[in-house]
Amino acid sequence: MKKHNYSAGPCILPQEVFEEASQAILDFNNSGLSILEISHRSKDFVDVMEEARNLALELLGLEGKGYKALFLQGGASLQFLMAPYNLLKTKAAYLNTGTWSSKAIKEAKFFGEVKEVASSADRDFKYVPKGYFIPSDVDYFHCTSNNTIYGTQIKEFPNTPKPMICDMSSDIFSRQMDFSKFDLIYAGAQKNMGPAGTTLVVIKEDILGKVDRSVPSMMDYRVHLNKASMFNTPAVYAVYVSMLTLRWLKKNGGIAGIEERNEKKASLLYSEIDINPLFDGYADKADRSNMNATFTLNNDDLKESFDAMWKEAGINGLNGHRSVGGYRASMYNALSLESVQVLVDVMSELERKA
Ligand SMILES: *Cc1c(COP(=O)(O)O)cnc(C)c1O
């Protein structure tokens, strides 16, 4: 039986994508060949790469606005250093909202001065700082749109004349916003876009070429742009499955359509967390993530039965990140409202029995 998969990443993808992706392993485009054995330079795959790059820009509403999309390797973690490598001249501003921002800050320090404009470390990253000041002498401002581990999400992004870089790994394509506010967006595919192995990078081209240092080829966005994301062998299968997922998203109403469903799922679960006396939300209400809901069970004696009950209900991946504990329900695009209802039913059943 198919599980209700709340895994934080790699994570659930649409069932029809799994089916189509399986078929392509056996026979891709009726070519008599598996997608795993063809050249990345073959027309069939070049078409996949181009469609993936175009779909990403189209869904984000960034077509014809000076942006290009790349599918690179090395995860979002490589972007922590690739971004400053290409963009940090002397000083950059970072907003610290959790583990991933902290890691991005650590890497940026190899390239220049980092000004942490605000941090929510003082309250275990339960909130998103607001009203901070971005100095005018920085090369860019960097933030993390959704904090996968702590379950917070930036609802309003600052206005700054400086280039804005955002790690959107865990909420890209989940909600509408004016993506043209950003100059560089990156996201590891495995949270909301595809399988592990590729990273989407969306760049406004005119921010490049301003640093003096020499940048090694594999680290240089311009090299990858010049080669249409084919400078070296791309993660063929991961790009293909991401492309299928983006097609699925487009067919299902694009970001506007999915946002509506994501809001329904999140409000269903958060209402249960708030109404059920056995559970407490981890993050401040105003900053709660619609993707990763973090919560705790306030009676340790019930932990064993709760864990047994949700497993029995066919739920997978509900344990919180090892650094936070408790529970985390990751409700990425492909998770259905019905799956959320199953979890909510288990939570209220626990209350009834307790
Ligand atoms: C998972 C995650 C990362 C790390 O991604 P990798 O692809 O494993 O390098 C970075 N940022 C955020 C917000 C994440 O959720």
Side-chain angles (χ1 to χ4, degrees), residues 156-215:
E156 252 179 82
F157 291 85
N159 288 311
T160 165
K162 295 290 156 183
M164 184 144 68
I165 302 181
C166 191
D167 174 0
M168 295 196 187
S169 292
S170 51
D171 69 351
I172 190 142
F173 300 120
S174 73
R175 55 171 167 161
Q176 289 180 286
M177 57 172 118
D178 177 7
F179 292 97
S180 70
K181 269 186 105 154
F182 303 92
D183 299 85
L184 174 65
I185 295 168
Y186 60 88
Q190 71 276 16
K191 306 272 168 50
N192 213 16
M193 185 176 60
T198 191
T199 307
L200 172 66
V201 176
V202 175
I203 307 179
K204 192 155 193 210
E205 276 186 290
D206 65 8
I207 63 167
L208 296 172
K210 300 194 172 143
V211 291
D212 296 326
R213 73 176 64 86
S214 31
V215 182

Side-chain angles (χ1 to χ4, degrees), residues 74-78 80 100 144 146-148 167 169-170 188 190-191 199:
S77 299
L78 186 64
F80 294 163
W100 299 116
T144 312
N146 183 71
N147 302 288
T148 329
D167 174 0
S169 292
S170 51
Q190 71 276 16
K191 306 272 168 50
T199 307

Side-chain angles (χ1 to χ4, degrees), residues 121-261:
D122 59 339
R123 280 206 296 118
D124 299 323
F125 298 115
K126 288 182 179 184
Y127 70 104
V128 173
K130 292 161 202 82
Y132 45 84
F133 171 72
I134 300 171
S136 59
D137 61 344
V138 296
D139 300 315
Y140 63 78
F141 167 69
H142 178 285
C143 58
T144 312
S145 56
N146 183 71
N147 302 288
T148 329
I149 293 175
Y150 301 94
T152 65
Q153 193 169 31
I154 300 180
K155 306 289 175 183
E156 252 179 82
F157 291 85
N159 288 311
T160 165
K162 295 290 156 183
M164 184 144 68
I165 302 181
C166 191
D167 174 0
M168 295 196 187
S169 292
S170 51
D171 69 351
I172 190 142
F173 300 120
S174 73
R175 55 171 167 161
Q176 289 180 286
M177 57 172 118
D178 177 7
F179 292 97
S180 70
K181 269 186 105 154
F182 303 92
D183 299 85
L184 174 65
I185 295 168
Y186 60 88
Q190 71 276 16
K191 306 272 168 50
N192 213 16
M193 185 176 60
T198 191
T199 307
L200 172 66
V201 176
V202 175
I203 307 179
K204 192 155 193 210
E205 276 186 290
D206 65 8
I207 63 167
L208 296 172
K210 300 194 172 143
V211 291
D212 296 326
R213 73 176 64 86
S214 31
V215 182
S217 310
M218 272 296 279
M219 292 292 111
D220 192 335
Y221 290 127
R222 287 171 306 172
V223 168
H224 292 284
L225 287 169
N226 284 335
K227 297 290 181 184
S229 210
M230 294 269 202
F231 172 66
N232 70 317
T233 315
V236 169
Y237 195 61
V239 173
Y240 175 67
V241 181
S242 299
M243 185 277 282
L244 292 178
T245 310
L246 295 177
R247 265 190 197 164
W248 168 85
L249 181 58
K250 182 176 170 183
K251 203 173 74 187
N252 287 280
I255 297 182
I258 208 77
E259 179 178 41
E260 206 184 306
R261 274 168 284 158

Side-chain angles (χ1 to χ4, degrees), residues 6 150-151 265-285 288-298 306 318 326-331 340 343-348 351:
Y6 283 89
Y150 301 94
K265 291 184 296 183
S267 68
L268 176 62
L269 179 57
Y270 283 123
S271 341
E272 178 63 25
I273 291 172
D274 290 339
I275 210 169
N276 190 321
L278 299 176
F279 295 96
D280 296 313
Y282 178 84
D284 284 8
K285 281 189 187 173
R288 280 173 166 175
S289 165
N290 278 359
M291 292 282 100
N292 315 93
T294 44
F295 56 98
T296 51
L297 178 61
N298 56 34
F306 180 55
L318 203 63
Y327 298 95
R328 171 173 53 169
S330 297
M331 298 174 283
V340 179
L343 172 58
V344 164
D345 289 345
V346 168
M347 292 165 78
S348 48
E351 184 195 355

